[in-house]
Amino acid sequence: MSDRIPRKAIKEIHNTIKYIWEYDIPCDYEKKMLLKEDTFKNSLYFHIRTRLGALLEKYDIMIFTEFNTDKFRKTKCRADLIIAQIDREKEGFLGDCIKRYISVFELKFKGDYSKAAEHITEDYNKIHRYIDEFKLDEGCQYYVAAIWECQPDSKWWLDKDIDWAKGKLTELNADYDSKGKMKFYIREHK
């Protein structure tokens, strides 16, 4: 097992997440395999493990859901999903063995009702807080993935030129188009 994760491997993780969003999650949605946020989270977890299994094992990278330990402890925040490198040699509670944060996700799966937009916006506020206050590892990539079963006026939740998001946040959004077909979109803030 290697201590250092090469930049190429980090990029592979990011590109695979985007691929999963564009191909695997839409396929699961079309097959009616996603019901609310938990099955959405399970699907994302499954596809990451399946597509990146060898890479994850090689670099001691784990995927954790509902993560509220280590730097998240005592913050009243719980990340929906994280990808992190662990220190296998460290004894004790696994949540305290985080060596490097690679990705942090907030996920939402909402129907078309009035409070849905508010709940999705809350996830953006959480990600903003993670970036500003938690001081996770340099190069950590943040994702807000939202499936909203509605036809909104805008496909994006943030303006393009938001300083705190630049180089850190990728928006993974899905909603119905004008023909009633669910569309999946990606925006990277560069």
Side-chain angles (χ1 to χ4, degrees), residues 1 34 85 90 100 115 143-144 147 149 152 156 162 168 170-171 186:
M1 304 300 154
L34 305 180
Q85 184 181 39
K90 191 171 181 181
R100 178 180 180 184
K115 287 262 188 199
Y143 299 88
V144 176
I147 297 174
E149 294 180 319
W156 308 116
I162 300 290
K168 297 175 181 144
T170 300
E171 292 182 76
I186 297 173

Side-chain angles (χ1 to χ4, degrees), residues 175-189:
D175 52 49
Y176 290 120
D177 65 13
S178 60
K179 296 177 182 169
K181 176 147 175 65
M182 183 61 72
K183 295 290 185 181
F184 289 75
Y185 308 90
I186 297 173
R187 177 197 268 171
E188 295 181 80
H189 291 268

Side-chain angles (χ1 to χ4, degrees), residues 110-151:
K110 293 291 182 182
D112 188 11
Y113 66 93
S114 61
K115 287 262 188 199
E118 184 180 309
H119 294 154
I120 295 169
T121 300
E122 287 171 4
D123 276 357
Y124 281 88
N125 293 337
K126 282 175 71 176
I127 290 288
H128 186 186
R129 183 172 177 211
Y130 299 162
I131 291 170
D132 279 357
E133 295 177 25
F134 286 41
K135 306 298 184 215
L136 302 178
D137 299 298
E138 186 177 328
C140 182
Q141 186 65 41
Y142 300 85
Y143 299 88
V144 176
I147 297 174
W148 192 9
E149 294 180 319
C150 74
Q151 296 175 354

Side-chain angles (χ1 to χ4, degrees), residues 88-106:
R88 287 196 184 273
E89 304 301 316
K90 191 171 181 181
E91 296 291 324
F93 176 60
L94 181 58
D96 294 331
C97 296
I98 303 298
K99 189 187 293 187
R100 178 180 180 184
Y101 288 90
I102 296 166
S103 305
V104 177
F105 292 79
E106 285 300 327

